[in-house]
Amino acid sequence: MRDNRAAMSDTNKVQRENRLGEITWAFLRLGFVAFGGAVAHIAMMEEEFVRRRRWLSKEEFVDRVGAVNLLPGPSSTEMAIYLGQLRGGLPGLFVAGAAFILPSALLMCAMAWAYVRYGAVPQIAGVLWGVKPVVVALIAQAVWSLGKTVLKSRELAVIAAIVLGLAAMKVSTLPLLIGTGVAWIAANRFGAKPASGSVAAGISAATSSATRAAAGGAATFAAATTAGVFLYFLKIGALLFGSGYVLLAVLREDLVLKMHWLSETQLLDGIAVSQATPGPFFTVATFLGYVLSGWRGAGLATLGMFVPAFTYVAVTANVLPRLRKSPTAGIFLDGVNAAAVALMAFVGFQFAREAVMTPLAAVIAVVSAVLIFRFKVNSAWVVLGGAAVGLIVKLAAHA
């Protein structure tokens, strides 16, 4: 009996180690090719972990998409952490998040060192130019795939259309998500099909001031000490809702205008490098931390920015399955998920307007869409192909 228990324990240990190895490799590879921002990252995760590896169903995936949109902090990193926890428990949670962040953080650190030493940002515009049209195709694929799962009724499709309209009117993300969930609960509880006007009113009624109130206004450090750098980015990671565009506005207000830690040029150079490298946009903290306080500043800024994400996911990961079993919470999640897919579509449309501005970029986008939709080519290879084309075009233009 004792020998059987020991054998089972050894087997379980080997299985855990194998899973952690699988998680590490999957998210390290993703961290090296995940260009295009949070929506593109989530699109790549849907392809890799739902359709290819089958770690979870589409329904479970979109529940987590809705959850990360309700949490402060970097949404694609939190999605990676959720997936790691689902596959490997608490160890998987830490491994997935660290593996996803590490490639970007190391690249940002190296570029910050070159920037401080030589006073220039490496010229990688060609790579970014070639990747952007591929990202458009990836987002389109994810919206199509998730939309078929999430928009389970005509009423939910109507709600998604309303959210698209409100997003175009610049209603903030968090109120849209919460307001849609609450409106969908109200519509179902009263037993009537929701009218467009009443749903729109319910969504719009949610307050939109929380994002800026939470993220801004706490800049009190007099000098850019190493401890001050850590505390500042810890505050941002813990309280900031919204996309990288919100982060840019908050960093400019605090670090440039209030505390005068950085010049406008330094901040914009850091943003440019972060946009042109794979992985989470929030690793701009690594670049800025190095500029402010060297290697220690880079490490502590990165730690401060991402520790809250690990904490939030660890606290909520086991709650999601129970929430889905609750009728009211399940209805709320259905509404939130419909809004989340609509917001993905809106961001994808905005991104496409910037990324597909030349005939060659349009060709790259169309070819990428054919490879992804028709031939199911792994997104990593398509991204690398786009990067190679962009680099060749850039070199040819300067030859």
Side-chain angles (χ1 to χ4, degrees):
M1 183 73 72
R2 187 175 299 172
D3 290 341
N4 288 339
R5 285 199 299 267
M8 289 179 62
S9 177
D10 290 342
T11 300
N12 290 337
K13 183 178 180 182
V14 170
Q15 289 176 341
R16 284 196 301 270
E17 290 174 352
N18 289 341
R19 284 200 170 189
L20 290 179
E22 178 190 23
I23 292 167
T24 301
W25 167 244
F27 283 100
L28 270 177
R29 187 177 65 81
L30 188 65
F32 276 111
V33 298
F35 288 89
V39 174
H41 301 169
I42 290 172
M44 292 180 188
M45 291 177 197
E46 189 271 338
E47 184 209 11
E48 182 70 19
F49 302 114
V50 177
R51 292 190 290 118
R52 291 187 176 276
R53 296 179 183 263
R54 301 187 185 278
W55 285 7
L56 69 171
S57 67
K58 285 185 181 180
E59 290 80 3
E60 292 171 322
F61 186 85
V62 294
D63 280 349
R64 283 158 179 79
V65 171
V68 299
N69 279 289
L70 293 172
L71 295 175
S75 57
S76 62
T77 304
E78 289 166 340
M79 192 68 188
I81 298 170
Y82 267 127
L83 293 171
Q85 189 277 338
L86 185 72
R87 186 66 174 169
L90 192 61
L93 178 151
F94 289 109
V95 166
F100 183 60
I101 295 164
L102 186 62
S104 178
L106 291 177
L107 284 170
M108 293 295 285
C109 220
M111 290 187 178
W113 173 83
Y115 178 78
V116 170
R117 186 174 179 87
Y118 300 110
V121 175
Q123 299 301 309
I124 52 178
V127 172
L128 184 62
W129 181 88
V131 166
K132 282 184 175 180
V134 179
V135 168
V136 171
L138 287 170
I139 293 173
Q141 196 282 329
V143 170
W144 174 256
S145 177
L146 296 178
K148 289 190 296 183
T149 300
V150 170
L151 305 180
K152 296 177 282 191
S153 66
R154 185 179 300 174
E155 290 75 27
L156 281 170
V158 169
I159 280 185
I162 292 169
V163 171
L164 272 176
L166 293 173
M169 295 166 61
K170 299 184 179 180
V171 177
S172 298
T173 299
L174 187 64
L176 276 178
L177 291 162
I178 295 176
T180 304
V182 171
W184 189 235
I185 288 174
N188 280 270
R189 178 161 294 178
F190 290 110
K193 298 298 184 184
S196 299
S198 63
V199 172
I203 297 171
S204 299
T207 177
S208 61
S209 61
T211 298
R212 294 292 305 167
T220 58
F221 304 111
T225 62
T226 303
V229 168
F230 171 73
L231 291 173
Y232 175 76
F233 285 104
L234 181 67
K235 179 205 76 170
I236 293 296
L239 299 178
L240 183 76
F241 284 95
S243 67
Y245 298 108
V246 177
L247 176 63
L248 171 57
V250 172
L251 292 177
R252 181 177 182 273
E253 182 177 339
D254 287 348
L255 299 182
V256 177
L257 301 180
K258 289 185 178 179
M259 296 187 290
H260 306 291
W261 283 4
L262 296 170
S263 68
E264 191 94 40
T265 300
Q266 287 174 318
L267 176 61
L268 291 176
D269 285 344
I271 296 294
V273 170
S274 185
Q275 287 182 324
T277 51
F281 177 78
F282 279 50
T283 52
V284 68
T286 308
F287 185 97
L288 299 179
Y290 186 94
V291 171
L292 290 169
S293 197
W295 296 107
R296 290 183 64 194
L300 288 173
T302 307
L303 193 66
M305 181 66 90
F306 290 101
V307 159
F310 286 90
T311 304
Y312 291 142
V313 174
V315 169
T316 60
N318 292 322
V319 175
L320 280 180
R322 293 199 295 271
L323 279 179
R324 176 49 78 182
K325 292 176 183 177
S326 163
T328 300
I331 292 169
F332 177 79
L333 283 175
D334 285 341
V336 168
N337 291 339
V341 170
L343 289 170
M344 284 182 68
F346 179 70
V347 171
F349 172 73
Q350 289 182 309
F351 194 84
R353 291 174 61 188
E354 298 177 6
V356 188
M357 299 183 66
T358 66
L360 182 55
V363 169
I364 294 173
V366 170
V367 171
S368 299
V370 171
L371 292 173
I372 292 166
F373 277 89
R374 177 68 179 85
F375 296 104
K376 313 297 183 186
V377 176
N378 191 300
S379 60
W381 295 112
V382 185
V383 168
L384 290 173
V389 171
L391 186 58
I392 291 168
V393 170
K394 186 75 171 179
L395 293 174
H398 287 82

